[in-house]
Amino acid sequence: MELTTKHIIAGGKALARHENGKTVFVRGALDTETVEVEITTSKKGFDEAQVSSVVSPSSQRVTPTCAHVTQGCGGCDWQHIDTSHQSTLRQKIVAESLRRIAKVEHTVDAGPSLPDFAYRTTMRCGITEGKVELNKHASHETLPIPDCKIVHPKMLDLLTNSGFGNNTEVTIRVSDTTGERIVLAETDRGVDLPDDVRLVVTSNRPSGEYITETIAGQEIRCSAESFFQPSREAAEALVEVIQNMIPDDFAGTLLDAYCGVGLFAATVAPNARVIALESSASAIEDAKVNLGEAARIIETKVEDFVCPPVDIAIADPPRKGLDKKGVKAILNGNPSQIILVSCDPASFARDTALLIEQGYALGKVVALDNFAQTSHIETVANFQRATSDV
Ligand SMILES: C[S@@+](CC[C@H](N)C(=O)[O-])C[C@H]1O[C@@H](n2cnc3c(N)ncnc32)[C@H](O)[C@@H]1O
Protein backbone atom coordinates (compact mmCIF):
# COMPACT_ATOMS: atom_id res chain seq x y z
CA MET A 1 0.00 0.00 0.00
CA GLU A 2 1.27 3.48 -0.90
CA LEU A 3 1.05 6.34 1.65
CA THR A 4 2.28 9.92 1.89
CA THR A 5 3.44 10.77 5.40
CA LYS A 6 2.79 13.97 7.33
CA HIS A 7 5.02 14.69 10.33
CA ILE A 8 7.13 12.55 12.70
CA ILE A 9 5.60 11.95 16.11
CA ALA A 10 7.08 11.19 19.58
CA GLY A 11 8.39 7.63 19.40
CA GLY A 12 9.97 8.31 15.99
CA LYS A 13 7.31 7.05 13.55
CA ALA A 14 5.78 9.06 10.71
CA LEU A 15 2.07 9.78 10.80
CA ALA A 16 0.03 9.05 7.66
CA ARG A 17 -3.61 8.37 6.79
CA HIS A 18 -5.30 5.64 4.76
CA GLU A 19 -7.70 6.79 2.04
CA ASN A 20 -10.51 5.94 4.50
CA GLY A 21 -9.01 8.37 7.04
CA LYS A 22 -7.60 5.74 9.45
CA THR A 23 -4.32 6.79 11.10
CA VAL A 24 -1.17 4.81 10.26
CA PHE A 25 2.10 5.07 12.22
CA VAL A 26 4.93 4.24 9.82
CA ARG A 27 8.34 3.00 10.99
CA GLY A 28 11.29 3.78 8.72
CA ALA A 29 9.64 6.76 7.00
CA LEU A 30 10.44 10.46 7.07
CA ASP A 31 8.11 13.43 7.19
CA THR A 32 6.41 14.26 3.86
CA GLU A 33 7.57 11.39 1.70
CA THR A 34 5.72 8.76 -0.29
CA VAL A 35 6.41 5.19 0.72
CA GLU A 36 5.15 1.65 0.13
CA VAL A 37 4.31 0.08 3.50
CA GLU A 38 3.40 -3.26 4.98
CA ILE A 39 0.87 -3.14 7.81
CA THR A 40 2.43 -4.85 10.84
CA THR A 41 -0.37 -4.32 13.40
CA SER A 42 -3.99 -3.37 12.89
CA LYS A 43 -5.96 -1.91 15.80
CA LYS A 44 -9.45 -0.40 15.93
CA GLY A 45 -8.30 3.24 15.84
CA PHE A 46 -4.97 2.97 14.00
CA ASP A 47 -2.58 0.74 12.07
CA GLU A 48 1.16 0.33 12.46
CA ALA A 49 3.26 -0.16 9.35
CA GLN A 50 6.83 -0.64 8.17
CA VAL A 51 8.30 0.93 5.01
CA SER A 52 8.92 -1.73 2.36
CA SER A 53 10.12 0.68 -0.36
CA VAL A 54 10.48 4.42 -0.84
CA VAL A 55 8.54 5.85 -3.79
CA SER A 56 9.41 9.53 -3.45
CA PRO A 57 12.18 10.10 -0.88
CA SER A 58 12.57 13.11 1.38
CA SER A 59 15.70 15.18 0.68
CA GLN A 60 16.70 14.36 4.30
CA ARG A 61 16.80 10.59 3.66
CA VAL A 62 20.25 8.96 3.84
CA THR A 63 21.45 5.39 3.40
CA PRO A 64 22.06 3.78 6.82
CA THR A 65 25.72 2.95 7.37
CA CYS A 66 24.84 -0.10 9.46
CA ALA A 67 23.87 -3.38 7.78
CA HIS A 68 21.76 -4.34 10.82
CA VAL A 69 19.23 -1.57 10.06
CA THR A 70 18.01 -3.37 6.91
CA GLN A 71 18.07 -6.65 8.85
CA GLY A 72 15.43 -5.13 11.19
CA CYS A 73 17.58 -4.17 14.21
CA GLY A 74 15.41 -2.55 16.88
CA GLY A 75 18.19 -0.18 17.99
CA CYS A 76 18.67 2.71 15.53
CA ASP A 77 15.20 3.66 14.28
CA TRP A 78 16.46 6.94 12.72
CA GLN A 79 19.59 5.89 10.81
CA HIS A 80 17.76 6.64 7.55
CA ILE A 81 17.53 10.34 8.56
CA ASP A 82 20.28 12.93 8.06
CA THR A 83 21.65 13.75 11.54
CA SER A 84 20.99 17.51 11.34
CA HIS A 85 17.38 16.75 10.41
CA GLN A 86 17.18 14.33 13.38
CA SER A 87 18.05 17.32 15.53
CA THR A 88 15.31 19.44 13.94
CA LEU A 89 12.79 16.62 14.41
CA ARG A 90 13.66 16.38 18.12
CA GLN A 91 12.92 20.08 18.55
CA LYS A 92 9.64 19.76 16.61
CA ILE A 93 8.51 16.70 18.62
CA VAL A 94 9.13 18.45 21.96
CA ALA A 95 7.33 21.61 20.73
CA GLU A 96 4.40 19.48 19.52
CA SER A 97 4.18 17.62 22.89
CA LEU A 98 4.09 20.99 24.68
CA ARG A 99 1.36 22.22 22.31
CA ARG A 100 -0.78 19.05 22.50
CA ILE A 101 -0.38 18.08 26.17
CA ALA A 102 0.54 21.28 28.05
CA LYS A 103 -1.39 23.61 25.66
CA VAL A 104 1.72 25.80 25.44
CA GLU A 105 3.22 27.34 22.28
CA HIS A 106 6.96 27.49 22.93
CA THR A 107 10.26 27.63 21.04
CA VAL A 108 12.55 24.64 21.49
CA ASP A 109 16.29 25.13 20.91
CA ALA A 110 18.91 22.65 19.74
CA GLY A 111 21.51 21.38 22.21
CA PRO A 112 25.31 21.26 21.79
CA SER A 113 26.75 19.28 18.90
CA LEU A 114 27.36 15.61 19.76
CA PRO A 115 28.95 12.59 18.04
CA ASP A 116 26.76 10.83 15.45
CA PHE A 117 28.31 7.37 15.94
CA ALA A 118 30.58 5.34 18.28
CA TYR A 119 29.33 7.12 21.41
CA ARG A 120 27.44 4.72 23.70
CA THR A 121 29.37 3.73 26.81
CA THR A 122 26.66 1.81 28.67
CA MET A 123 24.55 -0.91 27.09
CA ARG A 124 22.26 -3.71 28.29
CA CYS A 125 22.49 -6.67 25.92
CA GLY A 126 20.63 -9.94 25.46
CA ILE A 127 22.81 -13.07 25.34
CA THR A 128 22.16 -16.30 23.47
CA GLU A 129 24.57 -19.22 23.73
CA GLY A 130 27.24 -16.98 25.25
CA LYS A 131 27.13 -14.28 22.55
CA VAL A 132 25.58 -10.81 22.45
CA GLU A 133 22.58 -10.49 20.18
CA LEU A 134 20.57 -7.41 19.25
CA ASN A 135 16.79 -7.57 19.35
CA LYS A 136 14.87 -7.13 16.11
CA HIS A 137 12.15 -4.49 16.15
CA ALA A 138 8.71 -5.78 17.30
CA SER A 139 9.92 -9.38 17.26
CA HIS A 140 11.34 -12.04 19.53
CA GLU A 141 14.00 -12.71 16.89
CA THR A 142 17.57 -11.51 17.38
CA LEU A 143 20.53 -10.52 15.22
CA PRO A 144 23.74 -12.40 16.00
CA ILE A 145 27.21 -10.85 16.65
CA PRO A 146 26.49 -7.16 16.28
CA ASP A 147 28.74 -4.76 14.41
CA CYS A 148 26.96 -1.92 16.18
CA LYS A 149 27.85 1.54 14.85
CA ILE A 150 26.67 3.59 17.84
CA VAL A 151 28.63 1.89 20.61
CA HIS A 152 32.01 3.15 21.82
CA PRO A 153 34.97 1.27 20.19
CA LYS A 154 35.96 -0.16 23.60
CA MET A 155 32.42 -1.53 23.92
CA LEU A 156 32.37 -2.94 20.38
CA ASP A 157 35.62 -4.80 21.07
CA LEU A 158 34.01 -6.32 24.16
CA LEU A 159 30.80 -7.28 22.33
CA THR A 160 32.73 -9.15 19.65
CA ASN A 161 35.64 -10.65 21.61
CA SER A 162 33.93 -12.04 24.71
CA GLY A 163 32.03 -15.12 25.73
CA PHE A 164 29.18 -14.46 28.16
CA GLY A 165 28.60 -18.10 29.19
CA ASN A 166 25.27 -18.94 30.80
CA ASN A 167 23.95 -15.37 31.08
CA THR A 168 20.75 -14.27 29.37
CA GLU A 169 21.50 -10.57 29.79
CA VAL A 170 24.52 -8.44 30.71
CA THR A 171 25.14 -4.72 31.20
CA ILE A 172 28.40 -3.42 29.79
CA ARG A 173 29.93 -0.12 30.88
CA VAL A 174 33.12 1.47 29.58
CA SER A 175 34.86 4.75 30.37
CA ASP A 176 35.76 7.03 27.49
CA THR A 177 38.19 8.86 29.78
CA THR A 178 40.17 5.94 31.20
CA GLY A 179 39.26 2.97 28.97
CA GLU A 180 38.09 0.95 32.03
CA ARG A 181 35.54 -1.78 31.27
CA ILE A 182 33.02 -3.58 33.50
CA VAL A 183 30.51 -6.33 32.74
CA LEU A 184 27.57 -6.71 35.12
CA ALA A 185 26.26 -10.26 34.72
CA GLU A 186 23.79 -12.71 36.26
CA THR A 187 26.47 -15.42 36.65
CA ASP A 188 30.20 -15.95 36.08
CA ARG A 189 29.64 -19.49 34.72
CA GLY A 190 31.32 -19.87 31.34
CA VAL A 191 32.19 -16.17 31.06
CA ASP A 192 35.37 -15.43 29.10
CA LEU A 193 36.40 -11.76 28.94
CA PRO A 194 39.52 -9.85 27.81
CA ASP A 195 42.04 -9.56 30.68
CA ASP A 196 41.34 -5.89 31.54
CA VAL A 197 37.57 -6.35 31.95
CA ARG A 198 36.15 -6.58 35.47
CA LEU A 199 33.21 -8.97 35.94
CA VAL A 200 30.55 -8.11 38.52
CA VAL A 201 27.93 -10.72 39.37
CA THR A 202 24.60 -9.07 40.22
CA SER A 203 23.58 -9.09 43.86
CA ASN A 204 21.38 -6.86 45.98
CA ARG A 205 24.42 -5.05 47.41
CA PRO A 206 26.56 -2.48 45.57
CA SER A 207 29.63 -4.28 44.22
CA GLY A 208 32.08 -1.42 44.75
CA GLU A 209 33.32 -1.86 41.16
CA TYR A 210 33.25 1.41 39.26
CA ILE A 211 34.60 3.35 36.30
CA THR A 212 35.69 6.99 36.31
CA GLU A 213 34.77 9.61 33.68
CA THR A 214 35.97 13.20 33.59
CA ILE A 215 32.98 15.49 32.98
CA ALA A 216 33.40 19.26 32.79
CA GLY A 217 36.81 18.89 34.44
CA GLN A 218 35.46 16.84 37.37
CA GLU A 219 36.27 13.18 38.01
CA ILE A 220 32.97 11.33 38.31
CA ARG A 221 32.86 7.83 39.75
CA CYS A 222 30.12 5.55 38.46
CA SER A 223 29.56 2.03 39.81
CA ALA A 224 28.54 -0.92 37.69
CA GLU A 225 24.98 -0.78 39.09
CA SER A 226 24.44 3.01 38.99
CA PHE A 227 22.66 5.02 36.30
CA PHE A 228 24.84 7.04 33.93
CA GLN A 229 24.15 9.09 30.80
CA PRO A 230 24.61 7.26 27.45
CA SER A 231 28.04 8.76 26.77
CA ARG A 232 30.66 11.08 28.23
CA GLU A 233 29.79 13.68 25.60
CA ALA A 234 26.06 13.46 26.43
CA ALA A 235 26.85 14.08 30.11
CA GLU A 236 29.03 17.07 29.13
CA ALA A 237 26.24 18.47 26.94
CA LEU A 238 23.65 18.24 29.73
CA VAL A 239 26.04 19.91 32.16
CA GLU A 240 26.70 22.73 29.66
CA VAL A 241 22.99 23.39 29.08
CA ILE A 242 22.17 23.36 32.81
CA GLN A 243 25.20 25.53 33.67
CA ASN A 244 23.91 28.16 31.22
CA MET A 245 20.65 28.33 33.21
CA ILE A 246 22.39 29.02 36.55
CA PRO A 247 24.08 32.34 37.40
CA ASP A 248 27.90 31.96 37.44
CA ASP A 249 28.16 33.29 40.99
CA PHE A 250 25.30 31.19 42.39
CA ALA A 251 26.09 30.31 46.02
CA GLY A 252 22.62 29.45 47.33
CA THR A 253 21.08 26.04 48.05
CA LEU A 254 20.83 23.63 45.11
CA LEU A 255 18.53 20.61 45.21
CA ASP A 256 19.66 17.80 42.87
CA ALA A 257 16.64 15.48 42.86
CA TYR A 258 17.07 12.03 41.23
CA CYS A 259 20.79 12.84 41.39
CA GLY A 260 22.18 9.45 40.31
CA VAL A 261 25.92 9.56 40.96
CA GLY A 262 25.68 13.33 41.56
CA LEU A 263 26.67 14.37 38.03
CA PHE A 264 24.88 17.75 38.05
CA ALA A 265 25.56 18.79 41.65
CA ALA A 266 29.25 17.96 41.10
CA THR A 267 29.59 20.17 38.02
CA VAL A 268 27.02 22.94 37.47
CA ALA A 269 27.33 25.22 40.50
CA PRO A 270 30.69 24.91 42.32
CA ASN A 271 29.77 27.32 45.14
CA ALA A 272 26.31 25.96 45.91
CA ARG A 273 25.21 24.24 49.12
CA VAL A 274 23.99 20.88 47.82
CA ILE A 275 21.10 18.64 48.82
CA ALA A 276 21.08 15.48 46.67
CA LEU A 277 18.30 12.86 46.62
CA GLU A 278 18.51 9.39 45.11
CA SER A 279 16.86 6.01 45.70
CA SER A 280 19.59 3.65 44.42
CA ALA A 281 22.10 2.46 47.04
CA SER A 282 25.01 2.16 44.61
CA ALA A 283 24.41 5.63 43.10
CA ILE A 284 24.33 7.04 46.66
CA GLU A 285 27.76 5.47 47.34
CA ASP A 286 29.08 7.15 44.17
CA ALA A 287 27.44 10.50 44.98
CA LYS A 288 29.17 10.52 48.39
CA VAL A 289 32.53 10.28 46.62
CA ASN A 290 31.63 12.69 43.80
CA LEU A 291 30.06 15.40 45.97
CA GLY A 292 32.26 15.21 49.06
CA GLU A 293 31.42 15.69 52.70
CA ALA A 294 29.94 19.18 52.42
CA ALA A 295 26.92 17.93 50.46
CA ARG A 296 23.77 16.57 52.13
CA ILE A 297 23.17 13.29 50.29
CA ILE A 298 20.01 11.42 51.17
CA GLU A 299 18.96 7.92 50.13
CA THR A 300 15.24 8.41 49.63
CA LYS A 301 12.46 8.46 47.10
CA VAL A 302 12.03 12.10 46.09
CA GLU A 303 8.29 11.93 46.76
CA ASP A 304 8.96 10.86 50.39
CA PHE A 305 11.35 13.74 51.12
CA VAL A 306 10.27 16.79 53.11
CA CYS A 307 12.26 19.44 51.30
CA PRO A 308 13.66 22.40 53.24
CA PRO A 309 13.85 25.80 51.47
CA VAL A 310 16.10 25.69 48.36
CA ASP A 311 16.97 28.33 45.76
CA ILE A 312 17.32 26.20 42.63
CA ALA A 313 16.03 22.66 42.09
CA ILE A 314 17.27 20.35 39.35
CA ALA A 315 15.03 17.32 38.76
CA ASP A 316 15.98 14.47 36.41
CA PRO A 317 13.30 11.83 37.03
CA PRO A 318 12.95 8.48 35.24
CA ARG A 319 10.76 8.17 32.11
CA LYS A 320 7.41 8.54 33.89
CA GLY A 321 8.39 12.05 34.98
CA LEU A 322 7.84 13.94 38.21
CA ASP A 323 4.11 13.45 38.31
CA LYS A 324 2.01 15.16 40.97
CA LYS A 325 3.91 13.61 43.90
CA GLY A 326 7.36 14.62 42.58
CA VAL A 327 6.16 18.15 41.80
CA LYS A 328 4.66 18.47 45.29
CA ALA A 329 7.89 17.28 46.95
CA ILE A 330 10.04 19.75 45.02
CA LEU A 331 7.64 22.65 45.53
CA ASN A 332 7.92 22.11 49.29
CA GLY A 333 11.37 23.68 48.90
CA ASN A 334 9.79 26.72 47.15
CA PRO A 335 12.66 27.08 44.62
CA SER A 336 12.89 30.28 42.56
CA GLN A 337 14.02 28.22 39.59
CA ILE A 338 13.36 24.60 38.63
CA ILE A 339 15.46 22.91 35.96
CA LEU A 340 13.70 19.85 34.61
CA VAL A 341 15.63 17.16 32.71
CA SER A 342 13.46 14.64 30.91
CA CYS A 343 13.94 11.60 28.67
CA ASP A 344 10.32 11.50 27.48
CA PRO A 345 8.56 14.36 25.63
CA ALA A 346 5.08 13.32 26.83
CA SER A 347 5.94 13.19 30.55
CA PHE A 348 7.98 16.39 30.07
CA ALA A 349 4.87 18.14 28.73
CA ARG A 350 2.69 16.73 31.55
CA ASP A 351 5.19 17.97 34.17
CA THR A 352 5.36 21.35 32.42
CA ALA A 353 1.57 21.68 32.71
CA LEU A 354 1.76 20.81 36.43
CA LEU A 355 4.52 23.37 37.09
CA ILE A 356 2.70 26.12 35.16
CA GLU A 357 -0.44 25.31 37.18
CA GLN A 358 1.66 25.90 40.33
CA GLY A 359 2.73 29.38 39.21
CA TYR A 360 6.01 28.67 37.41
CA ALA A 361 6.75 30.20 34.00
CA LEU A 362 8.42 28.10 31.31
CA GLY A 363 11.76 29.61 30.22
CA LYS A 364 14.31 28.03 27.89
CA VAL A 365 13.63 24.58 26.41
CA VAL A 366 16.47 22.60 24.82
CA ALA A 367 16.19 19.27 22.97
CA LEU A 368 19.48 17.37 23.08
CA ASP A 369 20.89 14.83 20.59
CA ASN A 370 22.17 12.50 23.31
CA PHE A 371 20.96 9.40 21.47
CA ALA A 372 22.03 10.00 17.84
CA GLN A 373 20.47 7.68 15.21
CA THR A 374 17.52 6.99 17.50
CA SER A 375 14.24 8.78 18.20
CA HIS A 376 15.08 9.14 21.91
CA ILE A 377 15.01 12.75 23.08
CA GLU A 378 16.54 14.30 26.17
CA THR A 379 15.01 17.67 27.07
CA VAL A 380 16.17 20.32 29.52
CA ALA A 381 13.91 23.22 30.49
CA ASN A 382 13.92 25.86 33.18
CA PHE A 383 10.96 27.31 35.05
CA GLN A 384 10.93 30.52 37.08
CA ARG A 385 8.64 31.08 40.06
CA ALA A 386 6.37 34.07 39.45
CA THR A 387 8.09 36.10 42.19
CA SER A 388 11.58 34.79 41.58
CA ASP A 389 14.72 36.19 43.17
CA VAL A 390 17.33 34.02 41.36
C1 LIG B 1 17.43 9.64 34.71
S1 LIG B 1 18.42 9.15 36.06
C2 LIG B 1 19.25 10.67 36.41
C3 LIG B 1 20.54 10.57 37.16
C4 LIG B 1 21.45 11.79 37.17
N1 LIG B 1 20.73 13.04 37.22
C5 LIG B 1 22.40 11.78 36.00
O1 LIG B 1 22.26 12.59 35.08
O2 LIG B 1 23.33 10.94 35.97
C6 LIG B 1 17.21 9.01 37.33
C7 LIG B 1 17.77 8.59 38.67
O3 LIG B 1 16.70 8.63 39.61
C8 LIG B 1 16.75 7.50 40.46
N2 LIG B 1 15.35 7.31 40.89
C9 LIG B 1 14.34 6.67 40.27
N3 LIG B 1 13.17 6.84 40.94
C10 LIG B 1 13.47 7.61 42.01
C11 LIG B 1 12.69 8.16 43.08
N4 LIG B 1 11.38 7.93 43.16
N5 LIG B 1 13.30 8.93 44.00
C12 LIG B 1 14.65 9.16 43.94
N6 LIG B 1 15.44 8.68 42.94
C13 LIG B 1 14.85 7.92 42.00
C14 LIG B 1 17.36 6.40 39.63
O4 LIG B 1 18.01 5.46 40.44
C15 LIG B 1 18.34 7.19 38.74
O5 LIG B 1 19.62 7.25 39.34
Side-chain angles (χ1 to χ4, degrees), residues 80-121:
H80 60 288
I81 306 177
D82 175 71
T83 44
S84 74
H85 191 57
Q86 292 179 23
S87 196
T88 307
L89 290 175
R90 291 192 184 94
Q91 292 160 59
K92 283 188 176 173
I93 288 170
V94 174
E96 175 57 20
S97 295
L98 284 174
R99 190 174 301 124
R100 194 169 47 83
I101 299 168
K103 313 291 177 214
V104 170
E105 281 294 332
H106 208 84
T107 309
V108 178
D109 298 333
S113 173
L114 284 164
D116 296 336
F117 289 100
Y119 61 89
R120 254 206 110 108
T121 51

Side-chain angles (χ1 to χ4, degrees), residues 227 229 258-260 263-264 278-280 300-303 316 318:
F227 171 91
Q229 298 295 339
Y258 312 89
C259 72
L263 170 67
F264 301 144
E278 167 61 45
S279 60
S280 138
T300 178
K301 286 190 169 176
V302 169
E303 52 275 29
D316 183 8

